[in-house]
Amino acid sequence: MRTEVANRLTMTKSLVSARREPESQDRYAWVWVFPLQDGTFRVSTVEIPKNLVDEDICFAEEDIERVQVAVVATLEAVDSAVSDLGVDPNSLDAPWKNDFPL
């Protein structure tokens, strides 16, 4: 993972995300990493129907499919968990840079 992303996770305790291949072609998907208060990191996936995003339709929590992948203790373990999902850890970035739905 890039240094600025590692700093975002450890210094500002802010989430990072990256696009990933969706489980179904009618959805957009991301992997996201969220720093927890105990110093660990939650790695999860998020998928949202494309039509809601493409048509700028307001969506709610029930429209979002989330899967918690792992809670890991180190940045190296974050890299491994993200790689296991088929995403290059170097593609992790601030959520607004990859259209992650906050």
Side-chain angles (χ1 to χ4, degrees):
M1 116 180 18
R2 296 183 340 267
T3 301
E4 63 267 23
V5 172
N7 288 344
R8 184 172 170 80
L9 287 169
T10 58
M11 297 175 88
T12 65
K13 307 287 187 211
S14 300
L15 74 88
V16 296
S17 60
R19 290 280 190 150
R20 70 179 296 254
E21 285 297 314
E23 293 295 321
S24 110
Q25 293 307 313
D26 65 338
R27 302 176 79 77
Y28 290 119
W30 294 264
V31 60
W32 64 284
V33 182
F34 186 80
L36 301 173
Q37 288 184 346
D38 66 359
T40 61
F41 306 93
R42 179 182 301 136
V43 180
S44 300
T45 62
V46 174
E47 294 198 14
I48 300 173
K50 282 184 176 180
N51 70 308
L52 297 178
V53 176
D54 292 344
E55 298 171 27
D56 201 24
I57 298 172
C58 187
F59 54 89
E61 189 64 34
E62 59 267 10
D63 299 312
I64 301 171
E65 182 178 321
R66 297 177 197 267
V67 176
Q68 181 171 319
V69 175
V71 174
V72 297
T74 66
L75 294 176
E76 292 79 15
V78 169
D79 281 352
S80 179
V82 169
S83 292
D84 289 348
L85 293 168
V87 175
D88 179 354
N90 288 320
S91 68
L92 291 168
D93 213 330
W96 59 85
K97 292 187 178 180
N98 54 50
D99 298 323
F100 181 75
L102 294 175

